[in-house]
Amino acid sequence: MASVFGGVEGGGTHSKAVLVAGDGKILAETEGPSTNHWLVGVDKCLETINDMVQRAKTEAGLDPNTPLCSLGMSLSGGEQKDAINKLIAQMKEMFPNLSQHYFITTDAIGAIATASDRGGVVLISGTGSNCKLVNPDGSQIGCGGWGHMMGDEGSAFWISHLAVKTVFDARDNLVTPPHDVTHVGKAMNDYFQVSDLMGMLPHLYRNFQKSHFAGFCKKLAEGAEAGDALCQYVFAQAGRVLAKHVEAVLPAAQEPLLSGDLGLPILCVGSVWKSWELLKPGFIEVLDKVASSDKFKGRFHGYSLLVLQQSSALGGASLGAQSINATITMDYPANAKVFYQHTFKIDK
């Protein structure tokens, strides 16, 4: 049998698995629920990965009992070395026929590996958020990725929380809201199926589910598109704070990353980017200020926002193959496309 490599994209809400041949041909793709081990626990995470990959083997016409050459996993929560080593050891023990070799990295690094072999910035805004800059020499620096208690700024959870808190603070007369809260208050009641603020308490404590809370963001996007000022405001704020993540990692960018035809390539991953037009005002405002600052003037000429055309499971598969000194042929231009380009007009 020809070499077959596996890849997994593990998100906070949804996950994907892919099987790839060495020539880059995708043999099978499957989907599953969250595989963030900090959210769902290690056992559930590994069972979901095994289920997706074994289904993919069957779909590709492979024997489920024949291990893959390697399985590269691009997981949200895949940052900590000790946790990664424990996950791999447990996976080998629980599912000995899954794969011969394993490699785990973060969702951010898996995304970059799907889009380019020359580095770039990946800016994740899905259920949670994260930002990583990878230089052409492989060096990297990050900002965020700390989860909803300490970060996740600009994510679906953060946007939902900001909107809900604005309603709470307005009703308490604690903070004057920037805009009328009527629409968001009604949308909150409808989405969470409550009639007052007290009804929200189970959703915030006993029955709290991060992915469900983050799902309210979709309703806020609908409200923003329909013209509600508070919904538009929370998305503009999200755009600002996402751009601040780029500003945070920018000092580490090597010259080749800034001087290409695309300017700084920023790979945008996660469902919140579907609402780019709502994020745009705050996002471009922050980066315009950065470009005109003494620190970056003449160095930061512009940027391009790209979106993946393939799952970052493909990048995971590629990194997994590289970890055993094998290669998968990658068609990078087909894997990501530019959806927004911006060149700064700096006064001389």
Side-chain angles (χ1 to χ4, degrees):
M1 185 181 77
S3 296
V4 177
F5 306 94
V8 170
E9 172 191 350
T13 303
H14 304 290
S15 302
K16 290 182 180 177
V18 63
L19 298 187
V20 197
D23 63 2
K25 184 185 176 188
I26 293 173
L27 306 174
E29 291 181 272
T30 54
E31 296 187 354
S34 171
T35 46
N36 183 324
H37 64 97
W38 298 113
L39 286 176
V40 301
V42 170
D43 287 356
K44 182 69 178 166
C45 167
L46 299 185
E47 285 164 10
T48 299
I49 290 169
N50 179 66
D51 173 66
M52 289 192 299
V53 175
Q54 295 295 65
R55 280 192 286 120
K57 285 182 185 177
T58 304
E59 195 179 294
L62 304 173
D63 178 2
N65 293 316
T66 301
L68 301 172
C69 290
S70 64
L71 180 60
M73 293 166 276
S74 163
L75 306 180
S76 65
E79 192 93 50
Q80 211 183 22
K81 281 205 169 94
D82 286 349
I84 287 170
N85 291 336
K86 282 178 186 171
L87 278 174
I88 291 173
Q90 203 165 329
M91 189 164 262
K92 285 178 177 175
E93 189 181 325
M94 289 172 70
F95 309 111
N97 295 328
L98 189 61
S99 181
Q100 294 174 41
H101 301 279
Y102 295 92
F103 178 84
I104 296 178
T105 188
T106 64
D107 47 357
I109 299 302
I112 280 284
T114 308
S116 172
D117 59 354
R118 296 192 296 271
V121 171
V122 59
L123 189 51
I124 296 174
S125 180
T127 305
S129 67
N130 198 1
C131 180
K132 279 272 190 297
L133 180 145
V134 180
N135 277 309
D137 69 358
S139 62
Q140 54 182 267
I141 188 168
C143 173
W146 301 114
H148 63 277
M149 290 291 285
M150 283 294 148
D152 276 349
E153 292 89 350
S155 69
F157 174 84
W158 185 90
I159 292 166
S160 300
H161 181 267
L162 177 59
V164 168
K165 181 157 174 55
T166 302
V167 173
F168 270 68
D169 289 350
R171 299 265 172 89
D172 278 350
N173 200 30
L174 180 66
V175 179
T176 303
H179 301 282
D180 184 79
V181 300
T182 305
H183 175 86
V184 172
K186 185 178 183 311
M188 179 184 81
N189 289 353
D190 290 347
Y191 179 79
F192 292 101
Q193 298 185 313
V194 300
S195 56
D196 55 24
L197 297 187
M198 291 299 289
M200 285 294 294
L201 293 182
H203 293 284
L204 302 174
Y205 294 95
R206 188 174 65 244
N207 302 330
F208 174 72
Q209 287 181 297
K210 182 177 178 179
S211 60
H212 180 65
F213 199 94
F216 182 48
C217 182
K218 190 176 180 188
K219 299 298 178 187
L220 295 168
E222 290 168 5
E225 283 156 11
D228 181 72
L230 181 56
C231 291
Q232 291 172 343
Y233 169 83
V234 295
F235 273 93
Q237 291 297 100
R240 285 187 184 92
V241 76
L242 288 168
K244 293 293 284 183
H245 284 68
V246 177
E247 181 181 359
V249 299
L250 198 57
Q254 293 169 351
E255 199 55 42
L257 211 54
L258 299 172
S259 57
D261 293 341
L262 296 177
L264 178 69
I266 304 172
L267 183 63
C268 302
V269 176
S271 57
V272 175
W273 291 105
K274 293 174 184 173
S275 300
W276 162 242
E277 290 301 324
L278 302 175
L279 301 169
K280 184 177 175 180
F283 191 89
I284 63 173
E285 175 194 317
V286 168
L287 290 187
D288 279 354
K289 281 182 185 170
V290 170
S292 61
S293 69
D294 291 341
K295 195 173 181 181
F296 293 108
K297 194 182 284 185
R299 185 166 176 247
F300 186 26
H301 307 289
Y303 58 91
S304 296
L305 303 184
L306 299 95
V307 64
L308 286 177
Q309 301 298 101
Q310 294 282 359
S311 162
S312 61
L314 187 59
S318 176
L319 293 171
Q322 287 174 36
S323 75
I324 58 167
N325 296 316
T327 53
I328 295 172
T329 303
M330 299 284 278
D331 184 0
Y332 294 113
N335 290 349
K337 71 169 184 181
V338 174
F339 68 89
Y340 179 76
Q341 212 158 356
H342 190 90
T343 303
F344 300 116
K345 294 169 184 167
I346 307 296
D347 295 328
K348 293 184 180 175

